[in-house]
Amino acid sequence: MSLATDSPVHSSSSGDFAAFLDAELDSISSDSSPNEEEVNDEFNSDSSDSSPNEEAENDSEIESQRIKRCRVETVENIEDPKGSTSHGSLEQNLEVSSSKDACTHPGSFGDMCILCGQMLNEETGGVTFGYIHKGLRLGNDEIVRLRRTDMKNLLRQKKLYLVLDLDHTLLNSTRLMHITLEEEYLYSQIDSLQDVSKGSLFKLDFLQMMTRLRPFVRMFLKEASQMFEMYIYTMGDRAYAMEMAKLLDPRREYFDARVISRDDGTQRHQKGLDIVLGQENAVLILDDTETELVDNLDDRDVRQVLKIVRKDVLKGCKIVFTRVFPTQFQADNHHLWKMAEQLGATCSRDLDTSVTHVVSQDAGTEKSRWALKNKKFLVHPRWIEAANYLWQRQPEENFPVNQPKNH
């Protein structure tokens, strides 16, 4: 089976890739023709008392016999149009067969080509995918081919890729040594590691850590798996990443082998998509830190689509802030101002009839009273934060502004 041409690598899962590679390695070590086995038996029976040098000579002779036999079988199977073997046509066909069998070395395990098994003297370039299979390295051309193939498969399933951070995104962890006296009550609430699917707080003695899963994370993963092929990508080490994956996905339904740690990355202290076997313009990233996105992206790039969708959340809203920013603070530099604009709202310092919302923490300010008098929405700053989190405009009545204490 040829990994470069007809491999079953991509059924949209690097876990399938790992299983395929294991099978290929087994077949390389175990596959042999009946004739080979007969030859091996003959030599083994004759050389049971042989010296190491004699055994080495026998092994060499076996390999020589196998190669000769393969050449003879190839010659016997090539026939000319008249039904008889022609020396000229045989030479020509053997030359063609030899050129077809030239290996491009699409990847390697250590120094061995994953396709032809040849030992490679020099590094062939490309990227190491140790999280898929230890020692696996794929060449750049093979990575491009696999990504294109996988993209076609995912689009047929109407899916994209989702790369998920761990800490402060799917869960929160702390070292046992950092737990304060006030937090020691948590030890009495720890759930069993025997059935992690029924718990959310776990003590991991192996890592000397305590981990709590975010609320509704299991529901999120179940629903997201219908729309995405998901990866875990953390700046924690390999051991931590694998333990967290067991807590989140004990049955290996969502991530399988797609668990990437800092030990797998090609850039120090930085996450890169070069080790994700997915087309970059179809990858969504859910992380508690922002990513430096490339400009001038293709129109169909999912990142551009998200920006467009995000701009529709508060489209048509014109917002004035009052009693939200510190005195003398430049308003348009505040994160709430920027957040509102990213959601499609227009922000202003001045009141006029086109204003739709006044955002405030105090209903007693002049601008707050103006909003109430002119039947404009008066909302708490959390209204903007909720829209940003949920990607949907929220009912204004759910975010009232407190009346002044002396009211």
Side-chain angles (χ1 to χ4, degrees), residues 122-149:
E122 298 179 1
E123 193 173 273
T124 57
V127 178
T128 298
F129 290 84
Y131 69 93
I132 295 178
H133 203 295
K134 186 177 180 180
L136 173 64
R137 188 175 186 84
L138 297 177
N140 294 328
D141 290 343
E142 181 66 1
I143 292 172
V144 170
R145 187 191 71 81
L146 291 175
R147 283 176 174 162
R148 287 175 178 169
T149 302

Side-chain angles (χ1 to χ4, degrees), residues 3 31 36 47 103 114 137 158 165 176 186 199 205-206 248 261 272 311 318 325 359 382 397:
L3 179 62
D31 281 1
E36 284 180 64
S47 59
C103 184
I114 61 175
R137 188 175 186 84
K158 296 184 178 180
D165 179 43
L176 298 180
L186 293 172
D205 292 320
F206 168 68
L248 292 164
S261 69
K311 283 268 184 193
K318 185 172 181 179
F325 312 139
V359 177
R382 285 195 295 269
E397 60 269 20

Side-chain angles (χ1 to χ4, degrees), residues 350-366:
D350 303 314
L351 294 171
D352 61 49
T353 56
S354 64
V355 171
T356 61
H357 293 73
V358 172
V359 177
S360 177
Q361 298 188 49
D362 184 353
T365 68
E366 181 181 349

Side-chain angles (χ1 to χ4, degrees), residues 113 188 208 303 326 333:
C113 174
S188 64
Q208 284 296 293
R303 292 166 290 190
N333 280 337

Side-chain angles (χ1 to χ4, degrees), residues 221-365:
L221 292 176
K222 182 178 180 180
E223 294 185 4
S225 67
Q226 305 301 312
M227 299 178 283
F228 301 98
E229 178 170 287
M230 298 187 294
Y231 285 76
I232 285 176
Y233 200 152
T234 176
M235 291 307 289
D237 61 25
R238 185 72 181 162
Y240 176 73
M242 296 307 296
E243 289 300 313
M244 297 303 104
K246 290 178 184 177
L247 297 181
L248 292 164
D249 185 17
R251 298 184 181 88
R252 293 173 67 97
E253 300 173 275
Y254 308 130
F255 303 109
D256 200 19
R258 298 182 296 276
V259 180
I260 305 174
S261 69
R262 69 175 180 224
D263 302 328
D264 304 304
T266 58
Q267 306 172 58
R268 192 174 183 183
H269 306 309
Q270 188 175 353
K271 295 179 180 179
L273 292 180
D274 54 343
I275 56 173
V276 174
L277 280 177
Q279 293 280 32
E280 193 168 316
N281 63 359
V283 175
L284 284 81
I285 301 170
L286 184 58
D287 202 302
D288 63 311
T289 55
E290 292 188 4
T291 307
E292 299 172 346
L293 297 178
V294 182
D295 295 328
N296 301 321
L297 300 173
D298 185 85
D299 291 339
R300 296 185 62 189
D301 194 306
V302 69
R303 292 166 290 190
Q304 290 293 351
V305 174
L306 286 176
K307 286 182 179 179
I308 295 172
V309 173
R310 188 179 176 86
K311 283 268 184 193
D312 284 338
V313 175
L314 295 182
K315 185 178 180 180
C317 298
K318 185 172 181 179
I319 297 173
V320 169
F321 294 90
T322 175
R323 201 65 63 86
V324 174
F325 312 139
T327 307
Q328 306 300 323
F329 189 90
Q330 187 171 345
D332 55 4
N333 280 337
H334 195 274
H335 75 279
L336 280 175
W337 183 293
K338 293 181 177 180
M339 186 182 292
E341 289 186 330
Q342 290 170 355
L343 294 172
T346 301
C347 298
S348 175
R349 293 178 175 83
D350 303 314
L351 294 171
D352 61 49
T353 56
S354 64
V355 171
T356 61
H357 293 73
V358 172
V359 177
S360 177
Q361 298 188 49
D362 184 353
T365 68

Side-chain angles (χ1 to χ4, degrees), residues 380-392:
H380 193 276
R382 285 195 295 269
W383 176 74
I384 296 176
E385 294 173 340
N388 180 66
Y389 180 76
L390 297 171
W391 287 60
Q392 189 173 25

